[in-house]
Amino acid sequence: MKNFVANVVTRHTENPILTKDNVPYPVATVHNAGIVKYKGRYIMLFRSHQLNGRSIIGRADSDDGYRFDVHPEPFLEPATDGQFAEYEEYGVEDLRICHIEDEFLLTYSMYSRHGVRIGLARTYDFETVERVAVISQADYRNIVIFPEKFNGRYVRLDRPHSEISSWSIWISYSPDLVHWGDSRIIMKPIPYHWDEMKVGPGATPFKTTSGWLHIYHGVFNTMRGAVYRLGVALHELHDPSRIVGVSDQWILQPEAPWEVSGYVPNVVFTCGAIPEGDGTVKIYWGGADTVMCVGSAKIDTLVQLCKANKRVL
Ligand code: BMA
């Protein structure tokens, strides 16, 4: 029998930790938030559907990573002029935060009549945001940037989609954050497995002594629609294009009432995780595209799942 591990992620008892009722402006949902620690506080940049079905990004702060206060105004709304306006017309979604050197890079989905692309913005203090570049063509989502450079270049995981090669994880490189290339596919969905329909980058990868842990999402299609779960992959420390192993089992699936039902049922979707000093990682996920949840996992367990109980790449 395989060495499956039950209850890898312990859900916080106060889930959901953030809902639309905590937001001081009218929204229908709070979900898929990027998160980072800044000056000892947790900063969460969450997605909300507005009442017209298009998304914006809000900000919430916390001292303990569990109780968050939402800022009175949204953090990022679709641009109204310049090159970004045309591509953000239908909204901004699913933002990830990468803390690298002295800056915070923000990657987010931009929706428009031309499809979905990825925008890159930067902040130093979470007060002012500067849009840097549109860093993908159409039909890309879920870009996470590694919080270190490799041989002087930025490295990202991304998720293009085509009919021939569906929803797989690729890696790309950039000298300047604007121009990206040397792209290669590194992880594909595998047939009749919990992630057989799609795999996509999830939380910004974080470093361990054994490699970079990347918590990703995988999708399985059922007679009742898609089920979104979370899995984990371990990338080599000095060359993240090389995968040490991917856990065969998922680490989290929709089970709580606010994960199995909501705006989109049966979804747990992550855009951020915070490794803590005590050997655990706080994983944040949107439940059913409606609320924000958090749980904790032992980093060693995640590493072991990737090494000892591997899925076929
Ligand atoms: C994906 C994205 C995510 C969402 C998920 C489940 O395609 O749209 O933002 O959480 O579907 O609806």
Side-chain angles (χ1 to χ4, degrees):
M1 205 174 91
K2 291 215 171 203
N3 299 320
F4 292 123
V5 180
N7 306 320
V8 176
V9 177
T10 306
R11 286 177 170 79
H12 182 55
T13 50
E14 304 292 315
N15 278 346
I17 54 166
L18 207 69
T19 75
K20 68 183 170 72
D21 299 331
N22 304 112
V23 181
Y25 43 88
V27 293
T29 63
V30 166
H31 62 299
N32 298 5
I35 183 141
V36 78
K37 261 193 190 164
Y38 171 63
K39 293 190 173 169
R41 303 196 82 205
Y42 297 75
I43 311 271
M44 177 189 273
L45 298 178
F46 61 86
R47 168 180 170 193
S48 286
H49 285 102
Q50 301 175 104
L51 306 191
N52 62 359
R54 295 182 179 173
S55 294
I56 56 174
I57 305 293
R59 168 179 171 180
D61 296 14
S62 168
D63 288 325
D64 63 4
Y66 298 116
R67 283 163 301 181
F68 283 85
D69 293 319
V70 178
H71 278 229
E73 302 291 334
F75 179 80
L76 192 75
E77 296 184 86
T80 49
D81 55 23
Q83 59 145 333
F84 288 84
E86 183 174 359
Y87 293 99
E88 295 182 4
E89 181 190 8
Y90 293 171
V92 288
E93 306 187 357
D94 297 3
L95 182 149
R96 275 83 170 184
I97 309 171
C98 165
H99 184 189
I100 184 162
E101 294 162 1
D102 62 343
E103 55 188 18
F104 296 91
L105 303 174
L106 315 174
T107 45
Y108 59 94
S109 303
M110 5 174 30
Y111 273 84
S112 74
R113 63 190 67 199
H114 311 302
V116 55
R117 305 178 68 186
I118 297 292
L120 177 98
R122 127 179 340 121
T123 183
Y124 294 93
D125 54 9
F126 293 93
E127 299 301 329
T128 53
V129 188
E130 170 207 356
R131 281 171 167 84
V132 178
V134 181
I135 58 168
S136 79
Q137 299 184 347
D139 288 335
Y140 269 77
R141 284 181 46 88
N142 306 312
I143 289 187
V144 297
I145 299 176
F146 281 84
E148 263 181 29
K149 288 185 186 167
F150 298 84
N151 297 325
R153 293 196 295 178
Y154 295 93
V155 181
R156 77 185 196 195
L157 302 177
D158 53 40
R159 211 288 320 274
H161 173 66
S162 79
E163 290 305 318
I164 298 172
S165 176
S166 56
W167 297 300
S168 303
I169 296 178
W170 292 59
I171 195 162
S172 309
Y173 300 83
S174 174
D176 58 5
L177 289 173
V178 177
H179 306 91
W180 292 86
D182 283 351
S183 302
R184 283 195 282 146
I185 189 165
I186 56 170
M187 199 174 137
K188 286 176 80 73
I190 48 179
Y192 217 75
H193 193 253
W194 65 269
D195 55 10
E196 81 161 354
M197 184 185 175
K198 303 184 187 188
V199 291
T204 300
F206 61 93
K207 201 175 184 175
T208 74
T209 48
S210 310
W212 294 92
L213 276 179
H214 171 225
I215 301 171
Y216 70 99
H217 65 263
V219 187
F220 189 91
N221 206 17
T222 73
M223 297 300 283
R224 286 195 59 208
V227 179
Y228 277 72
R229 299 183 174 95
L230 302 184
V232 62
L234 185 66
H235 297 240
E236 277 189 14
L237 268 187
H238 302 295
D239 180 0
S241 71
R242 298 164 72 97
I243 295 182
V244 180
V246 181
S247 166
D248 186 46
Q249 70 169 81
W250 64 70
I251 60 164
L252 189 77
Q253 70 159 349
E255 282 176 15
W258 43 85
E259 296 162 355
V260 297
S261 100
Y263 187 77
V264 182
N266 289 319
V267 175
V268 291
F269 192 97
T270 189
C271 295
I274 307 270
E276 303 286 7
D278 64 356
T280 66
V281 54
K282 284 193 183 72
I283 303 170
Y284 292 82
W285 64 88
D289 286 3
T290 307
V291 296
M292 273 310 296
C293 303
V294 62
S296 155
K298 289 203 175 85
I299 292 172
D300 278 352
T301 309
L302 299 180
V303 169
Q304 271 315 106
L305 285 172
C306 296
K307 282 184 166 173
N309 208 1
K310 295 184 188 183
R311 135 211 207 284
V312 184
L313 270 186

